[in-house]
């Protein structure tokens, strides 16, 4: 593990200096300084217990570190969601192992709770001696009392929430410094529900059980292509964003991390987008992890059943999230206001949801899943919605907050719905007008080629009728709407690679100055997923050397832990946007699979050698 000095800005570490841990119910960010700066309880979409990443002075954190950190580094225990942080002090080296622990024998492929609702932190002095500081400061403050051999925290900002802290060393308050010598250990455990440390197994045994659960799940990953270790880490990262019990997957574990420092493009991503989750399960299925696809499909259909039409996003229970509101108490990451809770996109119309769900069902069936009449009856209304709404304006994949348009990507996913629909009906003998669905799918495909094509731009553009460049057009071959080698798709690829270039292989999703998205601030970072889409198009056009070179450049942008943000700041390479972002890890997996298939096993053997 390479140790490096900390780089702070007004009390904020760079986003890339954080690791993610989770238990299928919630997740936490742990900085290279030993501080847990983000944790929501009891689950992803609940209010935060610690959110120092959104306010260095008032957000609160759980710190376990040397009094003085000279340098530090982080790594994961291989094939797990368990994080190790090593921190060098002037007098010694401290190693902290962090886990949101899992039940002994937990099967992470099941739709069942696996977490113990406890944050376990194990500290050991590797060399020298270290003054180890323990500091627990929940957001909004807390009343602290000694109870049952530990500390009880009654959170002032969360009257419904009580936390308990236990330690191997006696705690008389939320802050203490303990001097440890070489080989000496300390553990501190934060319980997010009723405490059970008196009857719990020793911490080391609980850590071993958590390692075992992760590795059993990771043993199902089937991938042997470029960036193998990063693809495996991306799969684990997506699993860390999975709500095991319900099958929902959050787009990111965080809220309001800015797309540009000081800007207003700060959104709450702690919810399950139909689109993002569908992309995630499709990527996981391609590397052998099919159980998540069925879990998502069941969750999505249950959510749709509540009101008959798919919404854009839901909370983990399949209900609408709370209304979007601005939190005036927090200054935002590095002063980037506003901080938002909730997401107003829940009230939008986005027609791509029809195709996302039906394509997931199609993928499930292609791997042996049975489309029974009851399931088909729940898919038919989605086919009808796609057939009737594909030309109507909506708010698109980028969720514009301006007037809707007939976006190309939305129409394309309606084509996906109808195309997969007739194929399912024909292959499984399901009741449907197969010929009619097929003709409608072809009509949409033809319309996109004709009406979204803008000869002045030389590309398939953002909307039917033409418009500015939009990198989401690169997704059309991935969804098998238009082949990558089609002349107009080749031209579109070149136009986007040139017109939306952000430098060094990065792409903007669009240029806000040319694209009315209803958000006052114009700047944003380069959107990583779009560059992975470019890789896929290059592969589809037979430009394998270019595709592999770009893929390697993108993989090199991952943090030392193998984590990716939503966006990259082109001028500095810094991470911006919510972190880690499911979309970016989906792109890394999907492009790796595409390259591996195109390059063949002989190349993989040469690369390993």
């Amino acid at each position: 593990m390479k140790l490096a000095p900390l780089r702070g800005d007004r009390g904020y570490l760079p986003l890339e200096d954080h690791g993610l841990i989770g238990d299928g119910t919630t997740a936490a960010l742990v900085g290279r300084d030993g501080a847990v700066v983000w944790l929501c309880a009891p689950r992803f979409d609940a209010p935060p217990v610690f959110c120092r990443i959104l306010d260095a002075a008032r957000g609160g954190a759980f710190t376990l570190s040397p009094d003085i950190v000279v340098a530090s580094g982080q790594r994961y225990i291989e094939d797990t969601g368990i994080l190790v942080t090593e921190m060098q002090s002037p007098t010694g080296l401290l190693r902290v192992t962090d886990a949101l622990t899992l039940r002994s024998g937990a099967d992470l492929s099941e739709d069942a709770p696996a977490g113990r609702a406890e944050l376990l932190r194990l500290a050991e002095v590797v060399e020298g001696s270290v003054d180890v500081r323990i500091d627990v400061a929940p957001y909004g403050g807390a009343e602290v009392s000694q109870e049952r051999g530990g500390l009880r925290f009654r959170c002032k900002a969360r009257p419904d929430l009580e936390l308990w802290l236990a330690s191997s060393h006696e705690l008389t308050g939320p802050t203490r410094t303990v001097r440890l010598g070489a080989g000496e250990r300390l553990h501190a455990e934060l319980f997010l529900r009723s405490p059970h440390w008196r009857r719990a197994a020793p911490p080391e045994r609980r850590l071993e059980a958590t390692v075992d659960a992760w590795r059993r799940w990771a043993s199902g990953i089937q991938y042997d292509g470029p960036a193998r270790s990063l693809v495996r880490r991306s799969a684990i990262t997506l699993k860390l964003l999975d709500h095991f019990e319900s099958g929902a997957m959050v787009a990111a574990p965080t809220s309001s991390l800015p797309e540009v420092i000081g800007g207003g493009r700060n959104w709450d991503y702690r919810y399950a987008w139909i689109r993002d989750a569908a992309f995630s399960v499709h990527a996981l299925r391609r590397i052998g992890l099919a159980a998540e696809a069925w879990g998502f499909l069941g969750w999505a259909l249950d959510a749709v059943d509540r009101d008959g039409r798919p919404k854009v996003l839901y909370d983990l229970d399949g209900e609408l999230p709370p209304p979007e509101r601005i939190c005036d108490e927090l200054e935002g990451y590095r002063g980037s206001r506003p901080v938002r809770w909730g997401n107003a996109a829940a009230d939008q119309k986005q027609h791509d949801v029809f195709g996302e769900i039906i394509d997931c069902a199609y993928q499930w069936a292609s791997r042996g899943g049975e489309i029974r009449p009851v399931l088909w009856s729940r898919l038919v209304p989605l086919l009808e919605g796609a057939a009737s709404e594909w030309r109507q304006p909506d708010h698109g994949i980028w969720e514009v907050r301006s007037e809707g348009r007939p976006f190309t990507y939305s129409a394309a996913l309606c084509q996906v719905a109808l195309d997969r629909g007739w194929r399912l009906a024909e292959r499984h003998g399901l009741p449907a007008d197969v010929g009619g669905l097929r003709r409608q799918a072809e009509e949409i495909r033809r319309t996109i080629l004709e009406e979204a094509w803008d000869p002045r731009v030389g590309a398939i553009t953002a909307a039917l009728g033409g418009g500015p460049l939009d990198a989401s057009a690169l997704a059309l071959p991935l969804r098998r709407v238009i082949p990558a080698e089609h002349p107009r798709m080749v031209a579109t690829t070149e136009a986007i690679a040139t017109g939306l270039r952000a430098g060094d292989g990065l792409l903007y999703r669009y240029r806000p100055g040319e694209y009315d998205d209803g958000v006052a601030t114009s700047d944003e970072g380069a959107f990583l997923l779009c560059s992975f889409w470019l890789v896929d198009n290059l592969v589809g056009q037979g430009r394998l050397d270019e595709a592999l070179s770009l893929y390697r450049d993108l993989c090199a942008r991952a943090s030392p832990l193998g984590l990716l943000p939503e966006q990259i700041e082109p001028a500095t390479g810094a991470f911006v946007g919510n972190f880690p972002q499911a979309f970016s890890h989906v792109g890394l997996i999907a492009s790796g699979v595409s390259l591996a298939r195109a390059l063949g096993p002989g190349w993989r053997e040469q690369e390993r050698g």
Side-chain angles (χ1 to χ4, degrees), residues 374-574:
V374 172
L375 175 56
W376 181 246
S377 70
R378 299 166 76 184
L379 297 177
V380 167
L382 306 182
L383 290 172
E384 295 170 346
S388 64
E389 298 185 33
W390 68 272
R391 270 195 176 275
Q392 296 180 16
D394 74 344
H395 294 89
I397 184 175
W398 307 129
E399 300 179 348
V400 299
R401 298 197 171 198
S402 55
E403 187 176 351
R405 280 157 274 179
F407 283 105
T408 301
Y409 182 85
S410 300
L413 267 290
C414 288
Q415 192 276 345
V416 168
L418 298 170
D419 176 80
R420 309 306 189 265
W422 77 256
R423 294 177 190 274
L424 281 171
E426 184 174 76
R427 291 178 186 178
H428 299 275
L430 300 166
D433 178 4
V434 171
L437 291 173
R438 190 171 186 171
R439 285 191 296 274
Q440 286 178 300
E442 178 57 28
E443 179 189 356
I444 299 174
R445 191 187 75 86
R446 187 172 56 251
T447 300
I448 289 171
L449 282 170
E450 295 173 357
E451 295 187 19
W453 174 264
D454 190 329
R456 297 168 299 177
V457 180
I460 296 169
T461 58
L464 302 181
L469 285 172
D470 184 336
S472 67
L474 294 175
L476 301 187
L478 282 62
R479 309 315 294 268
R480 294 190 292 168
V481 177
I482 299 171
E485 65 272 21
H486 189 287
R488 290 197 167 180
M489 200 63 235
V490 173
T492 299
T493 301
E494 289 302 310
I496 290 173
T498 302
L500 297 181
R501 180 185 294 135
D504 298 324
L506 297 174
L507 294 176
Y508 296 108
R509 52 184 176 168
Y510 53 83
R511 294 194 179 276
E514 303 172 358
Y515 193 114
D516 179 18
D517 61 10
V519 182
T521 54
S522 60
D523 293 335
E524 64 173 18
F527 206 86
L528 268 175
L529 178 62
C530 299
S531 291
F532 286 113
W533 285 344
L534 178 57
V535 171
D536 295 327
N537 277 266
L538 294 174
V539 171
Q541 293 163 18
R543 299 158 66 181
L544 298 187
D545 289 343
E546 294 174 70
L548 183 59
S549 176
L550 176 56
Y551 184 69
R552 285 173 168 162
D553 288 346
L554 296 173
C555 288
R557 292 186 177 276
S559 77
L561 290 171
L563 301 180
L564 291 169
E566 178 184 23
Q567 299 182 19
I568 296 284
E569 191 174 66
T572 65

Side-chain angles (χ1 to χ4, degrees), residues 577-601:
N578 281 300
F579 169 80
Q581 177 80 2
F583 256 172
S584 299
H585 289 280
V586 164
L588 191 148
I589 293 171
S591 294
V593 171
S594 296
L595 277 164
R597 291 177 177 175
L599 293 166

Side-chain angles (χ1 to χ4, degrees), residues 2-48:
K2 182 179 179 181
L3 306 188
L6 294 173
R7 303 169 295 141
D9 179 6
R10 293 175 293 161
Y12 298 94
L13 293 179
L15 296 183
E16 49 267 44
D17 280 1
H18 296 84
L20 181 73
I21 59 175
D23 63 0
T25 301
T26 190
L29 289 181
V30 185
R32 275 207 298 127
D33 57 357
V36 177
V37 295
W38 179 263
L39 172 65
C40 296
R43 62 186 207 174
F44 295 105
D45 55 359

Side-chain angles (χ1 to χ4, degrees), residues 73 129 169 188-189 249 307 319 334 410 416 451 460 509 570 582 601:
S129 62
H169 290 61
E189 303 163 81
M249 299 188 77
D307 55 14
E319 304 287 351
R334 291 172 60 187
S410 300
V416 168
E451 295 187 19
I460 296 169
R509 52 184 176 168

